[in-house]
Amino acid sequence: QVQLVESGGGLVQAGDSLRLSCAASGLIFSTYSMGWFRQAPGKEREFVAAIRWSGGITYYAESVKGRFTISRDRTKNSAYLQMNMLKPEDTAVYYCAAAYLSNVGLRSSGSYDYWGQGTQVTVSS
């Protein structure tokens, strides 16, 4: 079956960096656009970043643009989220998601077919 497994979360201080990984199995990775979402306590899940399955075009939430970078490695069936200059407001559970052959609506959680279990990122001030 399809599995998305996130890793790389942790507790860091403001200004630090973290790199989240999402290892995918049970699917043809090259046919899926990949996205990262996050959910803070008491808040709805929100879009963070996405990368198209074809062409590698990327999208970012305004709140992370210039600080976060999404990438993918087809040889490792993995997607990544490099997070720099972290802020306390970045504290959340981060989820990766996969959307089959989709290049539109990648900012919407409803566009994704599969989700990981999430990894906690906590940024202290």
Side-chain angles (χ1 to χ4, degrees), residues 52-111:
R52 287 187 176 182
W53 71 275
S54 65
I57 295 174
T58 57
Y59 306 89
Y60 296 95
E62 284 299 319
S63 59
V64 307
K65 198 173 290 185
R67 299 188 298 123
F68 290 12
T69 303
I70 187 171
S71 61
R72 62 190 300 159
D73 186 337
R74 297 174 191 272
T75 66
K76 296 183 179 180
N77 279 7
S78 293
Y80 306 96
L81 186 67
Q82 177 67 43
M83 305 187 294
N84 298 329
M85 295 182 289
L86 282 161
K87 303 176 181 180
E89 50 263 44
D90 295 318
T91 295
V93 176
Y94 283 71
Y95 299 88
C96 74
Y100 180 61
L101 291 179
S102 178
N103 278 336
V104 297
L106 294 178
R107 295 176 183 271
S108 171
S109 60
S111 298

Side-chain angles (χ1 to χ4, degrees), residues 9-63:
L11 172 63
V12 297
Q13 292 187 333
D16 285 351
S17 297
L18 275 177
R19 187 192 193 210
L20 304 184
S21 299
C22 173
S25 60
L27 51 73
I28 302 175
F29 186 70
S30 61
T31 63
Y32 284 80
S33 293
M34 299 299 294
W36 287 95
F37 289 75
R38 67 187 181 186
Q39 187 167 18
K43 295 188 177 181
E44 293 189 354
R45 190 172 298 189
E46 66 173 359
F47 169 76
V48 176
I51 184 167
R52 287 187 176 182
W53 71 275
S54 65
I57 295 174
T58 57
Y59 306 89
Y60 296 95
E62 284 299 319
S63 59

